[in-house]
Amino acid sequence: VNVVPGLLRAFLTVLLFPEPHTATATLPAAFSDLLPHFLVEPEDEYIVKNKPVTLTCRSTPATQIYFKCNGEWVHQDDHLIERTVDPATALPVMQVTIDITRQQVEKIFGLDEYWCQCVAWSTTGTQKSQKAYIRIAYLRKNFEEEPQGKEVALDQEVLLRCHPPEGVPQAEVEWQRNEDVIDPASDPNFFITTDHNLVIKKARLADTGNYTCVAKNIVARRKSTSATVLVYVDGGWSEWSKWSACGADCSMWRTRECTQPSPGTGGKECQGLDLQSLNCTSEQCPQTVSGAEDVALYVGMVAVALCLTLLLIVVVLVYRRKKEGLDADVADSSILTTGFQPMGIKPSKPENSHLLTIQPDLTTTTTSYQGTLRSRHDATGKFSMTNGPLLDPLPNGSHSLHNGKLNSDPAEFVSRLSTQTYFKTLPRDVANTSYGTFNFLGGRLTIPSTGISLLIPPEAIPRGKIYEIYLTVQRKEDLRLPLAGCQTLLSPVVSCGPPGVVLSRPVILSMDHCFDACLDNWAVRLKKQNYEGVWEDVLLMGEELVSEPYYCQLEAETCRLFSEQLGTFALVGESLHMGAAKRLRLVLFSDAYCSTLEYNIRVYCMDDTQDVFKEVMQMERQLGGRLIDEPHVLLFKDSYHNLRLSIHDMPQAHWRSKLLAGYQEIPFYHIWNGSQRYLHCTFTLERLSLSTCELTCQLCVWQVEGEGQSFSLDFNIAKDTRAVDSEFLLMDSNATALAGPSAFQIPYLIRQKICSSLDAPCPNGADWRMLAQRLKLERHMSFFASKASPTSVILDLWEAQHFHSGNINQLATVMADIGKQEAMIFLVSDGEC
């Protein structure tokens, strides 16, 4: 029965060990029926640099031992054999070792893991050891995620993220503060999570420092860039002191100090008063005058009272005359309906009234009206109106309204405004600044081709006041916005002013944003720059309070800010998880004219806002570039992966790329922090002959492990040598400033009728609430309800949303659907039109 196996063993012995081999031993008869078992089996090993690893196998009793690696037998010459005898059992022990080099492992790198196994034989049979895997050890240089610096308040929790570089074996992570290793066992205020992040449970002043994530394995040790954590202390007020004794001026006071705690490491000073005064009661006042002195005091008080009475009478008379002039202006309703033409929609009754569905006519000629809209006696606190563009004096004392368009020199306005103290930092960028002069009729400012506008509703400016208002978009290099941690700029930085003007109701500032508009993914804050130039958080989007002076309506690509104050604003976001995404606009330009063999294609990766696109178009126009394909939009996620760009599928017989690597790469943080308005990569191509003009290729842009976009290019570089056409820069051809009725789609008197009809609550809900629902604005019900005229605020928002594309017929249809009053809302008698 055992003849065939015996012959097979003999054949293998001769084949593997042609000499009288040393790996075979004759066992004593007493042990001839024992199977071999392993005393030492090979274990997993890592090859560090070029140093080979040694595998060991020891078995007893064994006639021979050999290794098998990745399915192939290792040659006998590569085995090192040792024989001993176990003193306890007198059994023979055989040990075999082999060396594995880096070159052997690299031969199959990427196909399979390299493994080895030893086989021990005895006269009875064979036994196989466990498999040992041999891997090449490494540790990459770049961290997949590095910690970011933060400024935190005392006792606040701090999270510093760290994702170590890829490595084999997997890197171990430790944290250092100011080069000292952090040991959570000795300081329980620190905690290191399973995914290597560092948590400071309650920030202490002593925790201020530079934090470094250190990754190490058997190959190398890597350090991340240091992240500075600054723990600040906001000041607190001490208790009020006791009231002082009543002084000679019949007042007493008390004080408190900002010492509990004192502000430290950049913390805020205490807010509020540190000194309070209070009038004493008559019994507590010291008696310092008597007799004749009392008589003189009383005579003086009577004289002052008489003077004040006379002054009050004069003021009342002036006010009545001024009010009569203003009422006369408003009564002349021709100015309120200038520029609007009725359309033929039949009324429900054949009377002397008609249903107005009105479109603006911006070609209407100048309309004059009697009276003045300027305050007669309040000249302080205003800009000089010598060259005011809205109201030009006529010989008969009336004023002319130039179709609501303001056409004076923008450069002169910016220069004049910049001379004033607060506005010396205003950028003198005429192309991105709009201004106008406005009164209680309101108006609109627009910066063309940027998506930025300011709506000044009727009655937002108090009657009798005239303001010269500006709107400008700030270049990021002009105005640094401090961003901490993972914060990113999501909108342009927009200024409107002058700050400090008195508004009766909120204006609406519209500007683009560049995020996915999902507040589940983001914490988005509105920041405003105060008078000292410090940026402050004034609103957390999604958690607006109706009592605050700011409120936001977030749309897919636009943010509309209701603000009771003018100033400088920006949206800053912080992602809540890795699903948060910014919109990038990818734009391709090339040289309009090429006379050499080299040809450049520039790929811009910018925030998807119109103001940045306009800036790039203006710059490329100066460079003589041309747009070679429609822009594409890419969602760039907060995954810490870089953006890659590559070019493919060029005709090799005519073109070649001068790029040495397979792709170009823009680091994640260069894009995410938004510190640069636009980033671009240039692909330099070379045609093999000047006669080659046709170029076809595929240009790909993608985020590593994320979304990508591709451009299929096929054009003639010699044709269409025009530079960037100015048509884009002029496509938003509306006037930059419109004052009065021409700034609105709804005429002033009709607007008043709508408000008076819908502001009053209706039992069946046919009031402003239904209007908000039909316009899909029900999310803001509490905000509208907090205003004196909810309908007026809703119409303001409708005007801001639909200035370019709005159809007043659609609004009329909505009004008709609300209830039985719809027949009266748009009815205006002939005398009113």
Side-chain angles (χ1 to χ4, degrees), residues 140-445:
R140 300 197 185 281
K141 293 184 178 180
N142 296 328
F143 280 72
E144 296 187 15
E145 181 181 358
E146 294 188 289
Q148 300 296 308
K150 295 186 177 182
E151 295 183 3
V152 296
L154 189 70
D155 294 331
Q156 181 180 337
E157 183 181 270
V158 183
L159 173 64
L160 297 177
R161 298 181 180 276
C162 177
H163 196 167
E166 180 185 348
V168 174
Q170 185 175 358
E172 298 177 355
V173 172
E174 68 179 21
W175 283 86
Q176 295 180 351
R177 181 182 63 193
N178 299 332
E179 303 296 330
D180 295 328
V181 177
I182 295 174
D183 182 12
S186 59
D187 189 348
N189 194 44
F190 293 104
F191 174 70
I192 299 177
T193 66
T194 55
D195 51 355
H196 313 302
N197 299 328
L198 177 66
V199 177
I200 305 176
K201 299 177 182 178
K202 285 189 176 182
R204 306 160 295 192
L205 290 178
D207 293 328
T208 296
N210 296 320
Y211 287 77
T212 308
C213 181
V214 181
K216 58 184 178 180
N217 65 5
I218 59 177
V219 179
R221 189 170 185 263
R222 312 286 189 206
K223 282 189 174 185
S224 71
T225 56
S226 294
T228 301
V229 173
L230 178 64
V231 182
Y232 60 83
V233 181
D234 290 336
W237 285 94
S238 63
E239 295 292 330
W240 286 103
S241 66
K242 294 183 178 180
W243 288 103
S244 68
C246 192
D249 57 351
C250 201
S251 65
M252 54 184 178
W253 62 89
R254 63 177 182 175
T255 62
R256 56 181 178 177
E257 298 179 346
C258 188
T259 57
Q260 296 184 0
S262 299
T265 58
K268 294 181 181 179
E269 292 288 339
C270 298
Q271 303 295 318
L273 300 174
D274 56 2
L275 175 66
Q276 274 187 343
S277 63
L278 188 67
N279 291 332
C280 306
T281 61
S282 58
E283 293 81 7
Q284 294 174 310
C285 293
Q287 302 297 321
T288 57
V289 294
S290 61
E293 295 180 354
D294 286 344
V295 174
L297 175 62
Y298 296 146
V299 170
M301 293 175 62
V302 170
V304 170
L306 289 174
C307 292
L308 291 176
T309 302
L310 290 174
L311 180 61
L312 179 61
I313 293 172
V314 172
V315 170
V316 170
L317 290 175
V318 172
Y319 173 77
R320 286 184 176 178
R321 290 185 180 180
K322 172 182 165 184
K323 186 174 186 299
E324 289 172 359
L326 284 177
D327 291 342
D329 293 342
V330 177
D332 183 3
S333 63
S334 61
I335 183 177
L336 299 177
T337 56
T338 295
F340 295 87
Q341 301 296 330
M343 298 182 65
I345 297 182
K346 294 182 179 179
S348 58
K349 296 181 181 179
E351 297 177 355
N352 294 328
S353 59
H354 55 275
L355 181 62
L356 293 181
T357 55
I358 300 170
Q359 298 289 350
D361 179 6
L362 302 183
T363 61
T364 305
T365 57
T366 300
T367 301
S368 63
Y369 61 98
Q370 299 292 330
T372 177
L373 294 181
R374 188 172 308 182
S375 174
R376 293 190 176 98
H377 62 276
D378 183 10
T380 60
K382 299 201 194 92
F383 294 103
S384 171
M385 298 303 297
T386 306
N387 298 319
L390 176 62
L391 301 174
D392 294 336
L394 297 177
N396 60 359
S398 63
H399 294 82
S400 63
L401 180 65
H402 293 278
N403 191 33
K405 295 184 179 179
L406 312 177
N407 299 315
S408 60
D409 183 13
E412 182 272 335
F413 166 76
V414 174
S415 176
R416 175 160 49 88
L417 194 62
S418 299
T419 60
Q420 304 202 22
T421 304
Y422 181 78
F423 307 105
K424 287 182 178 178
T425 58
L426 185 69
R428 304 189 178 211
D429 187 356
V430 175
N432 292 290
T433 299
S434 174
Y435 78 99
T437 308
F438 303 94
N439 61 8
F440 75 95
L441 293 175
R444 183 189 306 263
L445 290 175

Side-chain angles (χ1 to χ4, degrees), residues 26-133:
T26 303
L27 294 176
F31 307 124
S32 60
D33 58 345
L34 295 178
L35 285 172
H37 71 276
F38 292 100
L39 303 175
V40 176
E41 296 184 72
E43 296 181 349
D44 295 345
E45 297 286 350
Y46 295 97
I47 295 179
V48 179
K49 298 182 180 179
N50 292 319
K51 184 179 179 181
V53 296
T54 300
L55 301 181
T56 302
C57 189
R58 183 185 304 159
S59 177
T60 183
T63 57
Q64 61 184 10
I65 299 175
Y66 53 90
F67 275 89
K68 189 177 188 179
C69 293
N70 278 73
E72 297 182 0
W73 300 110
V74 178
H75 196 276
Q76 179 187 2
D77 293 344
D78 296 329
H79 292 72
L80 180 62
I81 303 170
E82 295 182 8
R83 294 188 183 87
T84 57
V85 176
D86 187 345
T89 62
L91 290 175
V93 178
M94 180 176 290
Q95 177 174 295
V96 178
T97 59
I98 60 172
D99 289 337
I100 304 298
T101 65
R102 184 187 185 100
Q103 290 74 18
Q104 290 174 273
V105 178
E106 286 180 338
K107 284 181 181 179
I108 65 163
F109 184 74
L111 300 177
D112 198 359
E113 288 193 291
Y114 192 94
W115 58 268
C116 290
Q117 180 182 47
C118 65
V119 181
W121 286 35
S122 70
T123 55
T124 306
T126 62
Q127 288 280 41
K128 294 181 179 179
S129 71
Q130 66 184 12
K131 287 183 178 180
Y133 291 90

